[in-house]
Amino acid sequence: VQLQASGGGLVQPGGSLRLSCAASGTIFSIGVMRWYRQAPGKQRELVAFITSGGRIDYVDSVKGRFTISRDNAKNTVYLQMNSLKPEDTAVYYCNADLEYYRGTSYRNTWGQGTQVTVSS
């Protein structure tokens, strides 16, 4: 099972990007899905999460600008990023708790990163 992230790129300040992360392979269910980011020289930080029941939260620095959502039928999580700032520049990683088979423990799984650069 893999988590495949896409959608990063170069955008000007004030612009928008939409990140996607799809889980491929045999999965019975997905629990919490998350987006993290890591800027150069900084620790990785949790940006947003969404539970299977739809509970959502964000780090304060992105509230009002970023929106996390998920499509359970597609095993995909999205991160809509609006009003981007240079300080949003980072490698963004998706992360999810995957239940491979019914009744087994959830496994925390990371996707590969996708670079987001906000610059004029």
Side-chain angles (χ1 to χ4, degrees):
V1 176
Q2 289 185 329
L3 293 177
Q4 184 72 34
S6 61
L10 172 64
V11 64
Q12 292 186 344
S16 298
L17 283 174
R18 188 193 194 205
L19 305 183
S20 300
C21 178
S24 61
T26 301
I27 303 168
F28 179 74
S29 71
I30 303 178
V32 183
M33 304 185 84
R34 308 170 186 88
W35 285 100
Y36 285 80
R37 66 185 178 186
Q38 187 166 20
K42 294 188 177 181
Q43 288 190 333
R44 190 172 297 189
E45 70 169 347
L46 177 61
V47 176
F49 72 84
I50 181 168
T51 69
S52 57
R55 187 168 74 91
I56 291 171
D57 204 359
Y58 303 92
V59 67
D60 285 347
S61 60
V62 309
K63 286 182 179 177
R65 300 188 298 121
F66 290 11
T67 302
I68 190 171
S69 61
R70 63 192 283 171
D71 184 334
N72 292 327
K74 296 181 179 179
N75 290 336
T76 299
V77 63
Y78 304 97
L79 187 67
Q80 177 67 45
M81 305 185 294
N82 298 328
S83 302
L84 283 161
K85 304 176 181 180
E87 51 263 44
D88 295 317
T89 295
V91 178
Y92 284 70
Y93 299 89
C94 58
N95 173 277
D97 298 331
L98 306 180
E99 184 183 19
Y100 291 169
Y101 301 99
R102 184 177 181 175
T104 59
S105 299
Y106 283 91
R107 295 188 184 183
N108 187 263
T109 304
W110 288 91
Q112 94 291 0
T114 184
Q115 176 71 47
V116 172
T117 303
V118 184
S119 175
S120 55

